[in-house]
Amino acid sequence: MAAENKNARVIVVGGGLAGLAACVRLAEQGVSVDCFSIVPVKRSHSVCAQGGINATNEIARQQGFSEWMHMDETLFGGDFLADQPPVYEMTHWAPRIIDLLDRMGVPFNRTPEGQRDLRLFGGSLFKRTHFSGATTGQQLMYALDEQVRRYEAEGKVAKYESWEFLWPITRGEGAERRCVGIVAQDLRTMQIRAFPAEAVIMATGGCGLIFGKSTNSVMCTGGAAARCYQAGAWYANGEMIQVHPTAIPGADKCRLMSESARGEGGRVWVPAKKGDTRDPRQIPENERYYLLEERYPKYGNLVPRDIASREIFSVCVDDHMGVDGRNQVYLDLSFKDRDELDRKLGGILEIYEKFAGEDPHDVPMKIFPAVHYTMGGLWTTFTPQERPADPRQDLNCGRDTVTGMKFGAANTMMTNITGLYAFGECNFAYHGATRLGANALLSCIFDGLFSGQGVVNYVRTEAEPVENVHQSLYDEAVQQEHFKTQRLIETAEAGHNDPATNPYQIALEMGDEMTAACTVVKTGPRMEQAMTRLRELQDRYQNVRLADGGMWTNQNLSFTRALGDMLILAEAILQGSINREESRGSHYRPDFPDRDDQRFHKTTIAKFNAKTGRPDFDYRDVVTGLVKLRPRDYGKTSSEPKKSKEPATV
Amino acid sequence: MSESANTAQPAVPAPFLLRRLHSLAGIIPIGAFLCIHLTTNASIVWGRLGHGGVETFQHEVNFIHSTPFLLLIEVFGLWLPIGFHAVLGFYYAFTGSSNVAHYGYGANWRYTLQRLTGYFGFIFILYHVATLRWGWTWLPFASGFDAHTAASSTAQAIQGGADTSALGGFLIGALYLIGVLALIYHLANGLWTAAITWGLTISAGAQRRWGFVCSGAGLALAALGVMAFVGFVTLDLEAARQTESRLHSEIVNADTPQIAPAVAENNTTTNQSER
Amino acid sequence: MTTATDTRTRTIKIKIKRCDGPGKPAYWQTFSVPVKRGEGANVISCLQYIAANPITDGGVATTPVAWKSGCLEEVCGACTMVINGKVRQSCSCLMDSACPNEGDTLTLEPMRKFPVIRDLFVDRTRLFESLKRVKAWVPIDNLWEQGAGPKETPDEQQTRYKLSECMSCGCCMDACPQFHQIADSAKWQTAFIGAAPISQVRYFNLHKTGATLKADRLSEMASQGGVSDCGNAQNCVKHCPKSIPLTESIAAVGRATTIHAIKQFFTGK
């Protein structure tokens, strides 16, 4: 395009780490930003991240590790399903992201000398996880929130908090299709409005609520991503859902017990004798079965999440060895020094004490796996860039050149709809088939800062100025949403609680079914059964009825609308799981227990078919070229409890 | 960068200055004066250890009244600071709304009491100064103060003035006892909060320890206050007047040695001296 | 502790102060909610039940109650409410301790110091505006690579970390007798700012780069509605769900403001 567009405006949907990082990058580059968030941005789900953020530091390099190794562990952890150049770029940018966050004032834990301290995390053989107590996500997000507030005070960012994204506005068809704005609704006044912009960044996180009780926050419905999917954006690797091994089961959600609990030495065990109901403190060392340490001597309690989840699940569900006969195992920190625990894990131990009513300094915690992270998401692309290997960062990589992503390329993390981007958890780009602990914060911030520059360049030089877009396009989009809203509002009947058509009941059943059929262990027949149930629920949803027909702060409407989108996205997730007849990362199929690179070293792409209302599937080869595929077993030994046990050293 | 350190105001902001002066005025001169005043008044009791309560009290009063420019000192050192502290105090107190009904914690009660004692204390001070200093004896149950018959006139005032009915005695007695204790509480708690406000006590531990010191000081002052109160309430007016008359004549004799002590004795019933 | 098999169901009552919108009258409704012992039921799970069954105790068919929640693990600050007269996070209010017996009643009201949007959902914009008022950020030059930030000792980090845990829930303000509900946003600038932003002043002034705005922040603290409007009732620290030492922050900022003012007095800047 000819002249640079100085008045370009970008919409960021979502105010978590990825969204805020994007706002900061865009605002710094002088692009006007409208940030939309369903909650005040400071309350975004990113605050729940506890453990830390991965980045190689100088000590690791001197010990023979490097960014390359971080990349290798990420790819290996994700069972090689991730495209390799984005992972290369992310892991190599990690150190400078940490430095930047440090400059922004994040209170990273310190060594006695005043350096940033590191902890060990799952799936790693070297310490590369920076942390800020046990609330790292909160601390990182606040630092970015503060920077955005500064830009907001300067008038460079406008926040639309308590606004819900309803639909992307596009013009043109096929490859020419461009995103030129969004429709959003104020959740207080219920006003529906169109907002034009040269580009739209979706940074709306995961879809844990599809599984009912997960570790996610109440707004993590995946509704926004599902709307983009229905509008024609491709949804990739939907079947890759991470189940976190250690969560505290609760009535309203499952609260996360960070991997850092294991990183700081926490040990997972069950009584070696089935039905042993003694107080855990009374059970001697040699009558405890440390399942992960015995099955995976090399990584011990720090095997990746999918493996830990599966082992805990199998000990409870298959071997019936769960504590008190229930689906729970011990996560033990009670043998550790109290002060050290407080300093490094205070925040999360407090959560356990508050919500479980027992002090984890004294007694082992009772935990069970819960749905945690959405590796899949909106499909995005990038521009590869070949460059010479760096002897420091790519130590012992055995190659002369490497392939990363081109900084500032306009298509970086752009969906198949031009001008519509997806950053952070809501894209599929970095974690493959399972995510390593402490890589989520990294990928979110990396997208905002790195991929954000691509958006800057896109709106400046490639996007068509929205002044050229006819107003009628926006009016029609608003009209469309008014129509959908009205259709739901008209069903309202105060006091409505008929289970058949009650949205909360349908959501509950969807969550139960999806959790039972499509999480830790997936089998073809069970998933087919779940698909039948899901179709039933979709049918019931056609007759869904609200209990609130008002047009003021109608949360009933917002929830029911999201439920419709969740049911559609759930189908893509479930069908993707059925189709992938192999086991890879978090996707474990006992009926297909091995990884099948021949058939499935491919990205699943679900395309919403507006005619059938169902997904069509397409498979694309994973972009490799940096690391060769190898079996991912983390050195597993026998899965039987040994007869005599020695206390393992931590 | 658009923001930098030098956008700060060149002067100390008025709201801050007023707050700090308000705090300061409560300690010096008002708090300091309260300490001296209570010590002087308590001499009606502790004086008995030496020359006798009435004598010592009279001596103290004489000392004070011998201060040059007393009125100026009173106006600028006491009445204006008290007025300043009171007016701002009322304004500040009205900006708060106590919620002890929901949050009945110790510090919250102290916060509420600080305001209530401020209101009550000010009314008490007004009555006290108006009757005993300005001689507004038209106020109910009021009688004035006479520097020459310091103890007896004070005692009479506290006992309900010229009206010797039990009601007057009770009301004014209660007013004095509660008023004095309220002001002492106000000072002690004010000292505790001032240390936070000025930033002397930062840690919770420091605030707790300073709290003990303030409580101790408050209790000591309360002991003085109660001592003085009891001393004046139980003072035998007749006996006190005789003592004062004797003291007065001693002074007069000292000034005019020619006059015999017996002559002076005849003047005891006169309220005002020759001057 | 409750035993594993103890899942007896009991019915408790949730009494809710409702309001259909700004300027509309408040009214009370009571709902019966079945709760299982030992399963971690909390205020949120009860409200979720009511949303699915919006029928009052008296059999009145009504609308679901509006409320805000987010993380449900006390790190996002969304679900603040007045529960049994006292302000707190509702997610951490567990029914097994709050309503242990059949027929026990729990009272829910919206926060008192922020305007109600609907039912238990209040508008806390003022809280976030107050963070702008004290320039609660570290003024970094840019996002380009420039090495690490300033070093700090573990002790300094621990102090800052505690202050950084503030999730802007507003409990400290709601419990404060000096902090009042103000609907007119033009008056926020001179009204008492509350404990949380004062603590943020301390937090940012403790950071070496953050301290470049120290004078601005302290001038704001010395102005109308700043730190000296604190009345030391100290309810804030009792009701901070993150146990942030708010009263220490207030005293520390009081000291800094005193020194700043004296410096201003003598140097004029």
Side-chain angles (χ1 to χ4, degrees):
Chain A
M1 294 249 162
E4 198 172 278
N5 184 355
K6 297 260 189 240
N7 304 318
R9 178 166 286 276
V10 172
I11 285 173
V12 176
V13 183
L17 273 175
L20 292 175
C23 287
V24 172
R25 170 62 86 192
L26 291 162
E28 195 217 20
Q29 294 296 301
V31 177
S32 300
V33 184
D34 290 332
C35 180
F36 287 76
S37 174
I38 208 162
V39 293
V41 295
K42 202 175 176 179
R43 314 206 188 288
S44 300
H45 178 62
S46 301
V47 293
C48 290
Q50 297 171 344
I53 175 165
N54 287 330
T56 310
N57 77 349
E58 198 47 53
I59 297 173
R61 288 191 201 104
Q62 289 167 32
Q63 292 173 342
F65 303 102
S66 70
E67 284 86 339
W68 180 267
M69 180 110 175
H70 180 192
M71 175 199 70
D72 182 78
E73 287 179 343
T74 304
L75 290 170
F76 179 66
D79 226 346
F80 302 101
L81 191 62
D83 289 340
Q84 296 189 356
V87 177
Y88 178 91
E89 202 63 56
M90 175 181 79
T91 51
H92 285 65
W93 257 63
R96 62 180 101 167
I97 286 174
I98 297 292
D99 278 348
L100 177 61
L101 293 165
D102 191 16
R103 282 167 54 209
M104 287 178 181
V106 172
F108 285 114
N109 274 50
R110 299 283 163 167
T111 64
E113 194 191 320
Q115 310 282 1
R116 292 178 306 234
D117 203 0
L118 294 171
R119 68 164 45 130
L120 198 56
F121 234 67
S124 183
L125 293 171
F126 71 104
K127 280 191 179 184
R128 50 158 162 66
T129 303
H130 298 72
F131 63 105
S132 185
T135 59
T136 313
Q138 185 188 35
Q139 304 311 319
L140 301 190
M141 212 197 70
Y142 287 180
L144 291 170
D145 174 60
E146 290 147 10
Q147 296 299 321
V148 170
R149 186 163 292 108
R150 176 183 171 206
Y151 285 122
E152 193 190 4
E154 292 173 14
K156 294 175 179 166
V157 173
K159 279 188 195 152
Y160 292 84
E161 294 174 321
S162 290
W163 280 76
E164 182 174 3
F165 164 85
L166 297 184
W167 206 255
I169 302 173
T170 61
R171 70 186 301 215
E173 290 301 323
E176 292 299 302
R177 197 169 173 206
R178 278 172 188 267
C179 185
V180 291
I182 66 167
V183 188
Q185 181 170 33
D186 185 330
L187 294 176
R188 295 152 300 189
T189 63
M190 306 314 277
Q191 181 201 13
I192 296 175
R193 251 185 78 185
F195 294 87
E198 272 75 13
V200 173
I201 299 170
M202 301 302 294
T204 51
C207 60
L209 255 70
I210 287 179
F211 297 84
K213 281 189 255 177
S214 71
T215 64
N216 287 188
S217 296
V218 297
M219 59 281 187
C220 301
T221 60
R227 283 164 204 159
C228 292
Y229 162 65
Q230 291 168 81
W234 302 341
Y235 199 83
N237 291 343
E239 65 273 25
M240 296 305 173
I241 295 286
Q242 180 171 82
V243 178
H244 196 287
T246 58
I248 316 159
D252 51 343
K253 77 172 290 192
C254 298
R255 292 176 178 83
L256 178 64
M257 181 44 58
S258 164
E259 189 165 303
S260 53
R262 287 178 290 139
E264 295 298 341
R267 305 176 73 188
V268 175
W269 61 277
V270 289
K273 196 164 75 142
K274 208 183 285 183
D276 188 341
T277 54
R278 279 178 293 174
D279 183 308
R281 286 168 291 189
Q282 307 302 322
I283 301 178
E285 197 63 29
N286 61 0
E287 293 176 33
R288 299 176 175 190
Y289 175 39
Y290 290 97
L291 51 136
L292 296 178
E293 291 167 33
E294 294 196 6
R295 294 180 184 184
Y296 300 88
K298 189 173 171 193
Y299 284 83
N301 290 294
L302 285 173
V303 288
R305 294 175 173 176
D306 57 304
I307 294 178
S309 290
R310 212 171 298 142
E311 298 297 349
I312 292 170
F313 190 85
S314 98
V315 156
C316 294
V317 177
D318 303 336
D319 307 339
H320 305 287
M321 287 178 68
V323 174
D324 299 331
R326 300 173 100 180
N327 282 342
Q328 52 189 15
V329 301
Y330 288 127
L331 171 57
D332 200 348
L333 280 164
S334 60
F335 59 91
K336 301 273 290 186
D337 175 63
R338 180 174 276 270
D339 289 343
E340 192 192 340
L341 285 181
D342 281 340
R343 205 166 56 248
K344 291 184 170 170
L345 299 171
I348 54 170
L349 299 187
E350 203 179 281
I351 288 178
Y352 187 84
E353 196 174 345
K354 237 170 209 170
F355 291 95
E358 291 180 323
D359 184 356
H361 296 90
D362 299 330
V363 294
M365 298 176 273
K366 293 176 200 155
I367 53 93
F368 195 69
V371 167
H372 181 55
Y373 191 84
T374 313
M375 275 79 68
L378 294 170
W379 180 87
T380 48
T381 185
F382 60 90
T383 304
Q385 184 186 53
E386 194 164 314
R387 61 183 85 127
D390 179 327
R392 279 174 70 251
Q393 301 197 326
D394 301 318
L395 196 67
N396 302 328
C397 73
R399 337 166 33 99
D400 297 331
T401 61
V402 292
T403 311
M405 290 198 289
K406 187 175 175 208
F407 181 63
N411 71 346
T412 315
M413 296 304 133
M414 191 189 274
T415 66
N416 55 306
I417 299 172
T418 306
L420 180 66
Y421 294 81
F423 286 7
E425 189 176 353
C426 87
N427 74 25
F428 86 115
Y430 302 101
H431 308 296
T434 200
R435 172 177 70 76
L436 285 191
N439 263 355
L441 299 180
L442 177 61
S443 65
C444 289
I445 300 173
F446 171 72
D447 262 345
L449 296 177
F450 180 94
S451 312
Q453 187 63 37
V455 182
V456 171
N457 293 340
Y458 170 76
V459 297
R460 285 264 165 79
T461 58
E462 292 187 22
E464 193 181 355
V466 282
E467 292 95 84
N468 302 351
V469 180
H470 202 274
Q471 182 60 32
S472 63
L473 187 71
Y474 297 107
D475 295 341
E476 279 164 28
V478 169
Q479 214 43 49
Q480 196 63 243
E481 292 305 316
H482 267 301
F483 174 75
K484 290 187 211 166
T485 304
Q486 205 49 39
R487 203 188 70 76
L488 283 174
I489 286 290
E490 278 164 7
T491 67
E493 172 202 23
H496 175 68
N497 68 345
D498 175 4
T501 53
N502 184 300
Y504 301 98
Q505 184 61 32
I506 296 174
L508 194 72
E509 290 177 35
M510 170 184 67
D512 287 350
E513 192 62 20
M514 288 297 285
T515 301
C518 199
T519 51
V520 180
V521 177
K522 310 176 184 179
T523 65
R526 181 67 187 86
M527 286 193 289
E528 293 291 356
Q529 191 191 331
M531 185 59 85
T532 312
R533 289 275 296 124
L534 194 61
R535 297 263 161 84
E536 283 168 23
L537 293 171
Q538 286 171 345
D539 289 344
R540 272 164 64 187
Y541 181 77
Q542 293 308 312
N543 300 311
V544 75
R545 297 194 70 170
L546 304 188
D548 186 352
M551 282 304 270
W552 180 262
T553 321
N554 189 337
Q555 297 179 334
N556 199 208
L557 168 74
S558 171
F559 178 84
T560 308
R561 177 167 52 207
L563 173 63
D565 300 313
M566 283 153 80
L567 284 164
I568 286 169
L569 194 58
E571 184 172 344
I573 292 169
L574 191 57
Q575 191 61 52
S577 299
I578 293 170
N579 292 358
R580 187 176 280 276
E581 294 177 329
E582 64 159 352
S583 290
R584 184 185 295 270
S586 61
H587 177 74
Y588 175 61
R589 296 273 307 253
D591 43 357
F592 299 94
D594 298 317
R595 194 172 81 192
D596 184 348
D597 290 334
Q598 198 66 38
R599 285 176 68 204
F600 288 108
H601 189 222
K602 288 182 163 58
T603 302
T604 307
I605 296 177
K607 300 177 181 175
F608 184 73
N609 185 326
K611 290 196 188 77
T612 61
R614 310 212 179 286
D616 294 335
F617 283 88
D618 190 6
Y619 291 85
R620 291 198 165 198
D621 286 337
V622 174
V623 181
T624 54
L626 292 170
V627 175
K628 279 206 178 66
L629 274 64
R630 59 185 189 275
R632 176 178 179 272
D633 60 6
Y634 287 95
K636 180 171 180 171
T637 60
S638 144
S639 65
E640 286 306 303
K642 282 186 215 151
K643 290 301 163 230
S644 71
K645 294 162 194 80
E646 292 296 312
T649 49
V650 184
Chain B
M1 292 279 86
S2 65
E3 70 251 331
S4 64
N6 55 24
T7 55
Q9 301 297 312
V12 182
F16 178 79
L17 192 64
L18 287 175
R19 283 275 186 184
R20 287 292 196 268
L21 286 177
H22 176 251
S23 172
L24 188 66
I27 300 166
I28 293 170
I30 304 172
F33 171 74
L34 181 66
C35 296
I36 296 166
H37 192 42
L38 287 174
T39 311
T40 309
N41 291 357
S43 68
I44 195 71
V45 173
W46 59 256
R48 288 177 196 163
L49 298 173
H51 302 91
V54 176
E55 286 89 338
T56 312
F57 184 64
Q58 188 64 48
H59 178 77
E60 298 284 318
V61 169
N62 289 347
F63 171 74
I64 290 166
H65 282 252
S66 66
T67 313
F69 310 114
L70 181 61
L71 188 67
L72 280 180
I73 291 173
E74 279 182 314
V75 169
F76 291 101
L78 276 179
W79 299 343
L80 280 180
I82 289 174
F84 170 77
H85 189 80
V87 169
L88 271 182
F90 274 97
Y91 169 70
Y92 292 149
F94 289 149
T95 64
S97 52
S98 169
N99 55 10
V100 283
H102 295 114
Y103 305 103
Y105 311 121
N108 201 22
W109 270 111
R110 292 199 292 277
Y111 162 90
T112 306
L113 274 179
Q114 185 71 1
R115 277 131 193 89
L116 294 179
T117 54
Y119 300 148
F120 188 78
F122 183 67
I123 294 167
F124 165 66
I125 289 172
L126 267 187
Y127 182 88
H128 174 62
V129 174
T131 53
L132 292 187
R133 183 65 195 155
W134 302 336
W136 293 5
T137 50
W138 45 267
L139 286 167
F141 311 116
S143 67
F145 172 76
D146 170 31
H148 299 288
T149 58
S152 63
S153 59
T154 304
Q156 188 176 24
I158 292 174
Q159 288 171 22
D163 175 4
T164 52
S165 72
L167 178 69
F170 176 77
L171 284 181
I172 299 304
L175 175 73
Y176 267 85
L177 181 62
I178 298 171
V180 166
L181 290 178
L183 289 173
I184 290 167
Y185 169 83
H186 194 83
L187 173 63
N189 189 56
L191 279 174
W192 183 73
T193 57
I196 301 171
T197 306
W198 290 81
L200 296 176
T201 53
I202 289 184
S203 72
Q207 292 181 13
R208 198 174 51 248
R209 289 189 290 277
W210 179 239
F212 292 140
V213 173
C214 293
S215 305
L219 287 175
L221 284 176
L224 282 177
V226 170
M227 197 190 279
F229 176 76
V230 171
F232 283 112
V233 165
T234 57
L235 192 70
D236 180 338
L237 292 182
E238 228 19 71
R241 284 187 188 123
Q242 285 180 12
T243 311
E244 284 159 357
S245 160
R246 177 171 53 76
L247 288 173
H248 182 66
S249 59
E250 279 170 12
I251 292 167
V252 174
N253 286 347
D255 289 347
T256 52
Q258 290 86 358
I259 300 166
V263 182
E265 198 121 352
N266 293 334
N267 291 338
T268 46
T269 49
T270 325
N271 232 0
Q272 298 295 320
S273 70
E274 297 82 14
R275 263 167 278 175
Chain C
M1 285 299 98
T2 50
T3 61
T5 51
D6 185 3
T7 52
R8 276 171 300 149
T9 303
R10 66 188 185 285
T11 302
I12 58 160
K13 300 208 182 289
I14 308 280
K15 188 179 167 199
I16 302 173
K17 187 180 186 181
R18 304 195 58 177
C19 171
D20 293 341
K24 305 249 173 75
Y27 58 98
W28 291 87
Q29 283 183 339
T30 304
F31 300 87
S32 288
V33 179
V35 169
K36 277 184 180 166
R37 197 178 303 280
E39 300 215 331
N42 58 2
V43 167
I44 302 297
S45 66
C46 291
L47 285 171
Q48 285 171 342
Y49 176 86
I50 294 169
N53 300 278
I55 299 173
T56 70
D57 238 12
V60 177
T62 182
T63 52
V65 177
W67 84 94
K68 285 302 274 184
S69 61
C71 70
L72 310 184
E73 48 196 61
E74 249 188 19
V75 284
C76 82
C79 68
T80 321
M81 290 172 202
V82 173
I83 301 178
N84 286 345
K86 289 186 166 61
V87 69
R88 61 171 297 175
Q89 298 313 112
S90 55
C91 64
S92 62
C93 180
L94 303 183
M95 287 302 140
D96 284 355
S97 47
C99 288
N101 304 310
E102 175 76 25
D104 282 354
T105 301
L106 192 80
T107 309
L108 303 181
E109 294 168 73
M111 294 175 80
R112 299 186 176 103
K113 305 293 173 69
F114 297 93
V116 173
I117 293 173
R118 185 178 177 183
D119 297 338
L120 303 170
F121 177 10
V122 297
D123 182 358
R124 279 173 281 184
T125 309
R126 177 179 171 196
L127 211 162
F128 296 111
E129 285 300 314
S130 66
L131 295 176
K132 286 185 202 156
R133 200 170 145 189
V134 298
K135 298 191 177 170
W137 52 74
V138 173
I140 56 167
D141 287 346
N142 54 48
L143 303 177
W144 302 111
E145 191 176 356
Q146 306 212 46
K151 270 193 188 182
E152 63 183 346
T153 67
D155 280 351
E156 289 165 337
Q157 185 270 342
Q158 286 293 302
T159 306
R160 286 205 313 121
Y161 176 73
K162 197 64 219 163
L163 304 178
S164 179
E165 280 192 295
C166 173
M167 55 189 182
S168 300
C169 64
C171 284
C172 57
M173 299 168 177
D174 215 59
C176 174
Q178 292 287 103
F179 189 93
H180 306 292
Q181 189 179 130
I182 297 172
D184 179 5
S185 59
K187 291 181 181 153
W188 293 346
Q189 198 63 25
T190 51
F192 180 45
I193 196 162
I198 295 174
S199 191
Q200 290 293 296
V201 168
R202 183 182 179 207
Y203 172 67
F204 285 99
N205 286 354
L206 282 171
H207 187 266
K208 287 192 185 69
T209 315
T212 50
L213 296 175
K214 188 174 176 179
D216 286 10
R217 295 194 193 100
L218 294 180
S219 291
E220 182 60 35
M221 284 292 101
S223 69
Q224 180 86 40
V227 67
S228 29
D229 282 26
C230 167
N232 297 301
Q234 303 203 333
N235 293 345
C236 51
V237 75
K238 286 217 158 56
H239 280 270
C240 176
K242 305 315 285 181
S243 307
I244 297 167
L246 293 170
T247 45
E248 293 191 13
S249 289
I250 289 169
V253 170
R255 175 187 287 181
T257 311
T258 307
I259 293 167
H260 172 71
I262 292 170
K263 216 173 96 191
Q264 270 189 320
F265 183 81
F266 286 107
T267 66
K269 57 183 179 193

